Amino acid sequence: LANYLAKTATAGDCILLSGELGAGKTSFARCYLRCLFNDEFLEVTSPTYLLDNVYTLRQGEIRPDHEPFQSADHGGFPDEVHHMDLWRLEDASSRSFVDFAHIFSRCVSLIEWPDRLGTSLVPAEHLRLELQYEKEPDLDQILQADDLPPSSRIITLTPIGASRWQSRVEYLRRLSEQQDLQLSLLDENDEESR
């Protein structure tokens, strides 16, 4: 999922990452960035204390099969990827340290704990990606395996302002059916999409 979304990364893409602590939000961002930069060793850490980790993109450095989503209203190569963790964002005054207008128009944003952003700052077009445990994981099993079991997460995608996301989400729907993935697709009204 992260690989495909990274492969089609486009200026203005905003992915809101929700889920319980430890559900895989930072792991998703790490995979996305490593895929986009075509660097499996790229150091991607949680931006919890910094608020915003910025990764600058240069066209020669990204994966050779990168195919940015293009349409009449969208497209283009993103300047940067902003991986944000808003967990520590307490009030509106803290939001002034980040130029959201620039980020949401020229960059890609991966935002953990997006509820702290407030509805007025969220761009009209974005992809909500919610990670949930299928069942409460067995901590002993996780520690022994050093990872969650593959079928332990359910991912729900909700494209808002669907024109930017429509073809990409439709592709993911077909992919999830072929590979028997635990992926739910919702429309803007939080109803299951067909």
Side-chain angles (χ1 to χ4, degrees), residues 51-52 54 80 82 84 94-107 109 117 121:
L51 180 67
D52 184 11
V54 181
E80 302 167 327
H82 288 256
M84 295 180 239
S94 302
R95 295 182 201 125
S96 64
F97 294 113
V98 178
D99 184 357
F100 288 107
H102 169 75
I103 292 169
F104 292 152
S105 65
R106 301 286 311 140
C107 306
S109 53
L117 189 58
L121 287 177

Side-chain angles (χ1 to χ4, degrees), residues 4-42:
Y4 173 73
L5 291 173
K7 182 180 171 186
T8 61
T10 301
D13 280 358
C14 177
I15 302 175
L16 305 180
L17 303 168
S18 300
E20 296 176 32
L21 193 62
K25 297 177 295 295
T26 300
S27 294
F28 175 89
R30 182 177 298 115
C31 181
Y32 182 101
L33 286 158
R34 286 178 175 174
C35 290
L36 180 61
F37 282 90
N38 200 30
D39 180 354
E40 66 180 291
F41 300 108
L42 179 68

Side-chain angles (χ1 to χ4, degrees), residues 36-146:
L36 180 61
F37 282 90
N38 200 30
D39 180 354
E40 66 180 291
F41 300 108
L42 179 68
E43 186 171 344
V44 178
T45 59
S46 174
T48 300
Y49 295 101
L50 299 175
L51 180 67
D52 184 11
N53 288 347
V54 181
Y55 301 85
T56 302
L57 291 165
R58 291 173 192 84
Q59 282 190 290
E61 295 176 342
I62 65 166
R63 54 184 303 133
D65 60 347
H66 182 254
E67 301 170 9
F69 170 73
Q70 300 282 340
S71 76
D73 301 323
H74 310 102
F77 190 78
D79 295 337
E80 302 167 327
V81 176
H82 288 256
H83 176 205
M84 295 180 239
D85 184 330
L86 305 182
W87 175 252
R88 295 170 43 95
L89 198 67
E90 294 181 19
D91 58 35
S93 65
S94 302
R95 295 182 201 125
S96 64
F97 294 113
V98 178
D99 184 357
F100 288 107
H102 169 75
I103 292 169
F104 292 152
S105 65
R106 301 286 311 140
C107 306
V108 169
S109 53
L110 307 172
I111 303 176
E112 298 183 37
W113 304 102
D115 55 313
R116 306 286 174 110
L117 189 58
T119 56
S120 64
L121 287 177
V122 174
E125 292 189 312
H126 60 273
L127 181 65
R128 287 192 328 225
L129 189 150
E130 184 176 354
L131 297 154
Q132 296 176 288
Y133 295 116
E134 184 176 13
K135 61 181 182 181
E136 195 63 35
D138 178 346
L139 185 57
D140 291 332
Q141 180 185 8
I142 292 169
L143 292 174
Q144 288 175 2
D146 197 30

